[in-house]
Amino acid sequence: MAFRYKFQTRLIYAPARSLICTPAVYGWAFQEFTLAVKDAQVHGWYLPAASLKHPVVIYCHGKSGNISSHVPLADFWRRMGCGCVLFDYRGYGQSQGNPSENGLYSDAEAVWAYLMALQIDPARIIIHGHSLGAAVAGALAHDHPECGGLILEGAFTSIPAIARRSLLWRILSNGYFLRDRFDLAQRMPKIRVPTVIIHGTRDGVVPFAMAQELFALAVDPKYLVPVVGVGHERLWSFLGTQGAKELLDRLHK
């Protein structure tokens, strides 16, 4: 049993500790923060929006690396005037603790509380998650229907559904023994915020069919954005500035 759980943890989470860059590389004004969470500390960077009229994006990254890999995404949002929060889950980068499903949900909730302490209007907050981070983003949006919207990028329906696609997973991670399930599909019908689902039609990690399933489960207003011929990573970069602005217009009225 212990081996199964250890194996699952290594497949679900792939943290990197070393930071390869910071927002200072771009010369941006930003606030560095460390938040105390039960059994953990969450490290991140907050980059304010250009004005009170612009959204602030909470970004929940995928299973690999750490926030320093996603500084280009912050640049992408900032070029549209948006603020951005990059944070690391426990066990990633400079955040302390051991990753787990409930732990990641708690880490994201701590970031939400941080923005509330800064008196950011919840209606200005867009929650954006990629892959594993999409499940975290979905949970946060579920718990905060007052937020401005949700962007799911390369999202899977659940860990068990992904596991069923792999023979090795099926042998060593029998669904009955899965500890961390990240069941976004179960949560989708209960999320009451405008939702955009972005997915590459040639995603070899999470099949496009999962995006279609999530879209079918989502509540209006909802939008499915297929990125034709593209895989799993950095789908936002293929949208271009105009495409991203159109998404924001749908979410941030």
Side-chain angles (χ1 to χ4, degrees):
M1 183 73 71
F3 172 75
R4 286 182 187 269
Y5 286 151
K6 185 175 181 180
F7 171 78
Q8 292 168 21
T9 297
R10 289 187 174 181
L11 282 182
I12 295 172
Y13 311 105
R17 281 296 192 181
S18 299
L19 301 182
I20 58 177
C21 72
T22 76
V25 171
Y26 289 83
W28 298 332
F30 70 99
Q31 298 177 27
E32 187 169 20
F33 61 82
T34 301
L35 309 174
V37 190
K38 183 180 179 181
D39 301 323
Q41 287 186 330
V42 175
H43 171 259
W45 302 315
Y46 166 56
L47 296 84
S51 75
L52 295 178
K53 295 181 180 180
H54 289 85
V56 175
V57 178
I58 296 177
Y59 183 62
C60 304
H61 65 70
K63 78 169 193 175
S64 301
N66 58 47
I67 52 173
S68 64
S69 306
H70 304 289
V71 173
L73 175 61
D75 180 53
F76 182 77
W77 287 121
R78 279 179 53 84
R79 281 187 271 120
M80 288 172 281
C82 299
C84 190
V85 180
L86 300 177
F87 73 99
D88 267 326
Y89 314 122
R90 58 190 64 201
Y92 287 73
Q94 294 182 8
S95 294
Q96 303 302 312
N98 297 311
S100 67
E101 180 176 3
N102 288 335
L104 268 60
Y105 295 154
S106 296
D107 298 343
E109 182 62 39
V111 172
W112 178 274
Y114 170 76
L115 290 184
M116 293 302 97
L118 294 178
Q119 299 185 320
I120 305 297
D121 180 357
R124 291 176 55 209
I125 298 175
I126 304 297
I127 305 171
H128 176 189
H130 173 251
S131 197
L132 178 69
V136 178
L140 189 61
H142 170 272
D143 293 343
H144 293 284
E146 68 273 27
C147 76
L150 172 65
I151 299 174
L152 302 176
E153 178 187 355
F156 53 75
T157 52
S158 70
I159 290 292
I162 288 290
R164 286 192 291 271
R165 291 172 47 81
S166 165
L167 177 60
L168 186 59
W169 260 102
R170 292 199 300 270
I171 293 172
L172 295 178
S173 298
N174 184 298
Y176 180 79
F177 295 104
L178 280 169
R179 179 174 53 184
D180 293 352
R181 306 181 74 85
F182 290 100
D183 195 338
L184 180 56
Q186 185 274 336
R187 194 171 266 116
M188 284 304 296
K190 304 172 187 176
I191 296 174
R192 304 295 176 178
V193 305
T195 300
V196 170
I197 299 173
I198 308 172
H199 211 102
T201 61
R202 298 190 66 182
D203 191 327
V205 178
V206 179
F208 182 70
M210 286 194 174
Q212 294 173 308
E213 183 178 345
L214 291 172
F215 180 72
L217 292 168
V219 176
D220 288 326
K222 59 182 179 179
Y223 312 93
L224 178 60
V225 183
V227 186
V228 179
V230 174
H232 189 64
E233 298 294 335
R234 294 191 175 182
L235 303 179
W236 48 267
S237 65
F238 293 94
L239 294 174
T241 301
Q242 185 57 40
K245 284 182 178 178
E246 290 174 4
L247 292 184
L248 287 177
D249 287 342
R250 294 175 182 179
L251 294 175
H252 188 63
K253 305 294 185 182

